[in-house]
Amino acid sequence: MSRVAVTGVGIVSPGAIGIDSFRALLDAGTSAIAPIERFDTDGLAAHNAGLVIDFKARDYIPPMKLRRMNTLSRYAVAATRLALDDAGIALPNEAGVALGTAFGPVQTSVDYMQEYVAKGAALAPPQLFAESVANAPGSHIAIELDLRGFNVTVTQRESSLLAAAMFASGQIVKGTVPSAIIGGVEEVNEMVFSVLDRLGALAHADGELTEAMRPFDVRRNGMSIGEGSAIFIAEGEPSREPYGWIAGFGIARDTTATISDWGTGGAQVATAMQAAIDDAGISISEIDAIYASANGTKRGDLLEIRAIQRLFGDDVPPVVATKAYFGEYAAGGGLQFAAALLAMRDQKLHSSFGFEEGKPEMLTPVREARPAKLRNILVNSISAGGGVVCAVISKERA
Amino acid sequence: MRKSDITTRLAVTGVGIICSIGRNQSEVWRSIVESRAGIGKLSKFPGENFPTDVAAEVGDLDELVPIDSREAKRMSRSDLLAVIAANEAIAQADNGATTALSRDRAIVSTGTSTGGLLEGESFFFDRLVRGRSRVASSRVLQQPTSGPSDAVARALNLGGGVLSNATACASAGAAIGMAGDLLRSHHADVAIAGGSDALCRLTYSGFNVLQAVDDNPCAPFSATRKGITLGEGAAYLVIERWDDALARGATILAELCGYGATCDAHHPTAPHEDGRGAQAAMRGALAEAVDGLHVDYINAHGTGTLLNDSAETKAILAAVGDDVPVSSSKSYFGHTLGAAGGIEAVVSVLALQHQLAPPTLRLDTPADDCTLDYIPHTPRPMMMTNVLSNTFGFGGSNVSLLFRSAS
């Protein structure tokens, strides 16, 4: 058994730039999800999202390079700079890069097609095409830092970050690379937002109910989405006291899931959680908290609750739902992972923003932030379509 | 965390493929044996003003899809190509075995560059004309690049997990390598790994505006080469741990010995001129062959662009030497982008099975900077034990897969 240290975290998030600012956002117990001004939401049911507002890319990237980067690449490169500053190290050339993104460069593709329509198929800008591949952010990170190890981009909906982390951690344990950039990146845009809205996936006002993401709450009616980037410096031999150790992963698929929805089985979700715990070399009783996938969707949250109850029985550890702070998909799932790492470092559970009212037979998440002795945290990601990836992060190396 | 143990042998027990030269492995191999390319005039997207009009297209899929038509209608073309190829691969893996594959523990790992972008483009155009409130959003359910993996898992009822790799043209190679590691670390027992990509307007236009498309069928490594021919298709391998495959009585087609994955860290679209990342990827793959070996044949990335073919030749010279026959099967079916690593991995497995190296078609005069033996025009019977399959992509991502004969 081997574990991978996370020694630096860089955050470009709704409501926060940098890890300290992100910690303050969580500690304040308020959400960065707010009304959208970036694009028109008239006629849609939802109007809020977790958007990165106070971000100045030129603080991190020279102007000549900025011109060659789309928003995703800017977020990811900036978050990488912040993560390296946080770790206080430079990575060796052998290091790899693994990023996750749910929707990737949809906005860049839209921008390209608008030019295609306006100027013709032969005259659209080549620069936009170069940035229309999902791995452009990872490529820019590698070029900026001269990182020549693996460079992959995983796009597995809500599980994108954990799937990328599973691959990169595995490569460090295998000995292919000594260290890696693990991260996630996402951009909220009109196309994705309006499609999710029309599909009924987004939290929305309904009668007396205001528009809000309410993970695990009885009144939940959908997710809010978010953006940004979270970058993690992962090392086999830590250069400093780590936030925590990536200890294990489990992967499965809920075979009852449909193309756009979560399933109802729960067995495979429980299988993935159990697999991550086994991979970490610990027992279920050693899990001190669960940082849940909960995103405020009726079926997704119910599936996760059933799976947690199935696996943990009457001894469910404290469960924390973080996504109402910044939105689903935020940083490709990276902000949820960053929150779990902060919990481990600070030995403190965050409050589950957005939850107000549960049901006795359901699950009540942590409502008030509180100090806690945390040895191992289970982090879940459950995707529409059935994909599940779970991870365990630990306080100790072994 | 369990380690991926490179001494754990991996068996390929099934392959499935669909591309412009065939709708299954038999048709594809027959085309290769007969040196018959599947490149012609672009028939999709009539009326568009592309500077070139050559493509390697797959025809209508309706009769090939092994699932209910209602379910098929909710899938993108990339999804359907993936399901067709994966279904063939799984059928072969189960054929003659005493025990069927464990579908509950089968992971799907797909590389794709465009996913459902073709359908996303139509959605985009309709929105422009009719407004966003009048176009059904259900039409783009399949657009994300997670679509093909999800579609394969859903259609074939696989419960081990889904992974999607969108690492440009290295996607499928990375997806196969990733799957191999998950088997070696026992995170899964079976992997359905490969790639899928359908032609779409954005990529056809994009490579043209980059001036990377040949106005004739591509001629990799040739003095007259001017760029790629865009193609489409899908291919999957069924991969299992060797001992598991033996235990269930499966026929082993080849061994996946390992892979190397690197980055040039040089340029967003162009390869490093000396192919430094490609060299390192090939060396990485060879390093996973624990008992040392001699490479007998390289199925090259061989796109037909000036930069790639020159850089790849230098990389092969540096990493493997000058005495290894090399060819580009893209001269048959074009560059299938995110699917290329899967399609060419299947071609490499078929080459090992048949002990016949595919040629590079249309290679009348090798370029001055292409100095290797590229097997021009016709297939070459030869003894092959070890085969490298290269795939490289935008962003300088490189993957090299190493396959070994099952015998």
Side-chain angles (χ1 to χ4, degrees), chain B residues 103-261:
Chain B
R103 297 195 178 206
D104 285 349
R105 289 275 295 161
I107 195 168
V108 183
S109 181
T110 305
T112 183
S113 186
T114 64
L117 194 52
L118 175 66
E119 289 72 20
E121 289 167 354
S122 297
F123 180 76
F124 170 79
F125 289 135
D126 282 357
R127 271 175 42 127
L128 278 183
V129 174
R130 298 164 61 192
R132 74 181 175 195
S133 64
R134 292 176 178 271
V135 184
S137 293
S138 57
R139 284 179 43 195
V140 283
L141 281 174
Q142 67 274 52
Q143 186 182 339
T145 44
S146 49
S149 267
D150 284 344
V152 168
R154 196 169 61 250
L156 304 177
N157 199 32
L158 306 173
V162 279
L163 289 172
S164 302
N165 208 301
T167 307
C169 301
S171 298
I176 293 168
M178 194 177 280
D181 274 334
L182 289 175
L183 292 170
R184 283 173 158 168
S185 60
H186 291 258
H187 283 93
D189 290 342
V190 177
I192 318 299
S196 181
D197 251 339
L199 275 169
C200 65
R201 297 169 188 82
L202 189 147
T203 49
Y204 203 88
S205 163
F207 281 102
N208 269 286
V209 298
L210 284 177
Q211 300 182 326
V213 182
D214 201 323
D215 52 4
N216 291 306
C218 65
F221 304 114
S222 158
T224 59
R225 73 189 191 276
K226 289 184 284 187
I228 64 174
T229 293
L230 281 158
E232 62 180 352
Y236 282 87
L237 312 173
V238 174
I239 313 168
E240 310 170 63
R241 288 182 293 274
W242 190 274
D243 292 345
D244 293 349
L246 290 178
R248 68 178 194 89
T251 301
I252 296 175
L253 310 178
E255 180 176 1
L256 173 60
C257 298
Y259 76 110

Side-chain angles (χ1 to χ4, degrees), chain A residues 96-97 135 138-139 142-143 147-153 167 171 176-177, chain B residues 165-178 258-285 300-303 307-309 311-313 315-316 319 335 341 388-402:
Chain A
V97 178
N135 63 322
S139 164
I143 292 168
L147 302 182
R148 303 182 194 178
F150 62 79
N151 196 301
V152 300
T153 297
F167 172 72
Q171 295 305 299
T176 309
V177 297
Chain B
N165 208 301
T167 307
C169 301
S171 298
I176 293 168
M178 194 177 280
Y259 76 110
T262 65
C263 186
D264 285 354
H266 169 65
H267 189 274
T269 57
H272 186 271
E273 53 271 23
D274 293 330
R276 71 180 179 197
Q279 287 180 40
M282 285 184 269
R283 288 195 177 107
H301 186 53
T303 57
L307 291 174
N308 175 82
D309 293 1
E312 188 171 12
T313 295
I316 291 171
H335 192 345
L388 276 174
S389 178
N390 288 340
T391 47
F392 313 139
F394 271 11
S397 288
N398 312 286
V399 177
S400 190
L401 300 166
L402 178 63

Side-chain angles (χ1 to χ4, degrees), chain A residues 34-73:
Chain A
I36 297 169
E37 295 181 3
R38 183 180 299 171
F39 51 83
D40 180 13
T41 62
D42 279 358
L44 302 179
H47 306 280
N48 298 340
L51 302 183
V52 173
I53 304 293
D54 296 322
F55 169 67
K56 294 184 178 63
R58 69 175 69 94
D59 290 349
Y60 310 93
I61 306 162
M64 287 297 287
K65 292 180 177 176
L66 265 185
R67 294 194 307 171
R68 300 193 202 111
M69 295 183 190
N70 65 10
T71 299
L72 293 168
S73 295

Side-chain angles (χ1 to χ4, degrees), chain B residues 374-397:
Chain B
Y374 300 106
I375 316 178
H377 302 305
T378 53
R380 182 181 299 171
M382 50 190 271
M383 297 282 285
M384 288 182 281
T385 302
N386 299 299
V387 170
L388 276 174
S389 178
N390 288 340
T391 47
F392 313 139
F394 271 11
S397 288

Side-chain angles (χ1 to χ4, degrees), chain B residues 255-258 282-298 319-320 324 385-388 401-405:
Chain B
E255 180 176 1
L256 173 60
C257 298
M282 285 184 269
R283 288 195 177 107
L286 296 174
E288 294 204 348
V290 291
D291 52 354
L293 53 79
H294 179 267
V295 177
D296 301 300
Y297 162 66
I298 299 175
V320 185
V324 180
T385 302
N386 299 299
V387 170
L388 276 174
L401 300 166
L402 178 63
F403 292 98
R404 179 176 292 172
S405 168

